[in-house]
Amino acid sequence: MSTDLPHTSGAPTLEDVARVAGVSRATVSRVINGIRNVAPDIQEAVHRAIATTGYVPNRAARSLVTRRTGAVALVVSGAGDAKGGEPFESRVFADPFFGRVASGVVGYLRPRGIHPVLMLADSAQTRDDVVSFLRQGSADGALVVSTHGEDPLPKLLVDAGLPAVLWARPARPIPISYVDLAHRAGAALAADHLVARGCRRVATISGPFDVPAAQDRLSGFQEAMAGHGHPYVPAVEGDFMPASGEAGMHRLLKEHPDIDGVFVANDLMAQGALLALRDLGRRVPEDVAVIGFDDSAAVTCRPPLTTVRQPMEDMAAEMARLLLAHAADPDFQVTSVIVQPTLVVRESA
């Protein structure tokens, strides 16, 4: 590679990069546009030349060649999710879960020069806006986090033939790639831990029954407890928000005052459950042991929450990887990735 820099007054050009790298202009173009069949050492030489010259590729021109925009839509989508008039966006941004997902997406895309565009879709109009945005070529595809089991957006994207990857298994079978957690296995970890610490009268606060992840966590916990000789586990339904966890804990203790262990289907509801236990004078974990799920808000709980951890950043990065693969190859096969959870033991159980 030549180290002689071009003596020009304007911005570095493709020809300048080619001269420094010692390759043809066409080769530089192929490397910049991500076209295959360029030897790794040549690619490295071109990237070094780009750094040396300070060349900045013309994104608009590159898009004409690659038909790629350098952007993806990160969509948080719900259907009928308004609770007591609370705006959808308020619920989204109040949940640390979404921040961890966004962090994983950005961490994967940014080194590749790709940027996420945040979109919220909680109505027929905003879902149509997402589909139109993608059809117009404003982004290379969509990473979709659905907050409601009956969310129609994933099917709309599939029917439109648009590249998309979903967080978690869809409620209804459709041909879309997704990344999910082994929720039943995670719930079983919680059951095993409560039994191991001597809990005999165990209950659970589940998520919404129409959400597949909530269904799996509930059934996985009940099945594991049955395996330990506990055929009946009292359960109440929450909505993944703190107030429902607080109300659910009050209801459980009213109906079953001898509860000594509770599995709560996410950390935000567990926060509410801990508030209820404190208000009722129950000590945690001495009187009632509490286990959450997600590891999204666990360290801010008092006492710090024992919880089932799903590696959200890693799962979000895997979503982004799959989406880029779909965007690069229209024949890329629809696939699923299931990640194993772990139990993080803190003070609450």
Side-chain angles (χ1 to χ4, degrees), residues 285-344:
E286 293 86 354
D287 299 327
V288 182
V290 179
I291 297 181
F293 203 110
D294 285 340
D295 200 21
S296 62
V299 295
T300 64
C301 293
R302 291 294 176 268
L305 186 66
T306 292
T307 188
V308 178
R309 185 177 193 276
Q310 53 176 330
M312 298 176 199
E313 293 85 355
D314 294 342
M315 293 168 68
E318 182 63 15
M319 286 177 67
R321 186 192 71 79
L322 288 176
L323 181 63
L324 297 188
H326 277 291
D329 181 5
D331 296 324
F332 186 84
Q333 185 174 1
V334 170
T335 189
S336 58
V337 176
I338 308 299
V339 178
Q340 294 299 314
T342 55
L343 183 70
V344 180

Side-chain angles (χ1 to χ4, degrees), residues 2-285:
S2 170
T3 57
D4 296 329
L5 297 179
H7 298 285
T8 61
S9 57
T13 66
L14 211 62
E15 289 78 7
D16 297 331
V17 176
R19 187 180 306 113
V20 172
V23 299
S24 69
R25 184 184 187 280
T27 297
V28 174
S29 179
R30 283 159 56 204
V31 171
I32 289 173
N33 291 324
I35 298 173
R36 301 172 184 175
N37 301 324
V38 179
D41 58 330
I42 298 297
Q43 293 185 45
E44 185 179 348
V46 170
H47 287 305
R48 285 201 305 267
I50 290 172
T52 299
T53 61
Y55 173 74
V56 178
N58 184 314
R59 187 170 293 277
R62 179 181 177 185
S63 179
L64 290 174
V65 175
T66 64
R67 298 187 179 181
R68 303 279 292 278
T69 66
V72 301
L74 174 57
V75 186
V76 182
S77 178
D81 257 1
K83 304 290 182 183
E86 184 180 12
F88 178 64
E89 57 270 25
S90 296
R91 301 191 75 224
V92 170
F93 294 123
D95 190 341
F97 165 88
F98 296 107
R100 289 186 57 192
V101 171
S103 175
V105 168
V106 171
Y108 185 86
L109 294 178
R110 184 165 55 185
R112 292 160 176 82
I114 300 172
H115 305 285
V117 178
L118 177 64
M119 304 185 75
L120 303 181
D122 62 331
S123 67
Q125 180 59 57
T126 52
R127 286 188 288 275
D128 288 344
D129 290 344
V130 171
V131 174
S132 296
F133 184 78
L134 295 170
R135 276 179 166 160
Q136 293 166 5
S138 300
D140 295 325
L143 300 167
V144 182
V145 181
S146 288
T147 64
H148 197 283
E150 295 302 318
D151 181 16
L153 181 60
K155 188 174 187 304
L156 291 175
L157 296 171
V158 169
D159 291 345
L162 296 166
V165 177
L166 188 61
W167 176 282
R169 184 182 85 249
R172 301 178 186 275
I174 54 174
I176 189 170
S177 291
Y178 65 85
V179 177
D180 204 355
L181 190 80
H183 297 281
R184 289 174 179 267
L189 291 175
D192 294 346
H193 187 72
L194 289 174
V195 170
R197 64 173 286 118
C199 295
R200 300 292 299 168
R201 296 166 297 279
V202 174
T204 183
I205 302 173
S206 81
F209 291 153
D210 64 339
V211 176
Q215 296 169 6
D216 288 350
R217 293 175 194 182
L218 176 59
S219 60
F221 185 72
Q222 291 173 328
E223 290 170 5
M225 289 303 300
H228 288 294
H230 298 267
Y232 172 67
V233 175
V236 296
E237 180 184 13
D239 65 4
F240 285 144
M241 297 302 289
S244 70
E246 185 173 7
M249 193 72 253
H250 276 285
R251 178 180 165 188
L252 283 172
L253 287 172
K254 181 178 180 180
E255 297 175 358
H256 308 276
D258 58 349
I259 286 172
D260 61 0
V262 62
F263 167 55
V264 190
N266 83 332
D267 289 352
L268 286 184
M269 290 195 301
Q271 282 184 329
L274 290 172
L275 286 175
L277 290 166
R278 188 178 308 134
D279 290 343
L280 294 169
R282 302 292 183 98
R283 298 171 301 164
V284 178

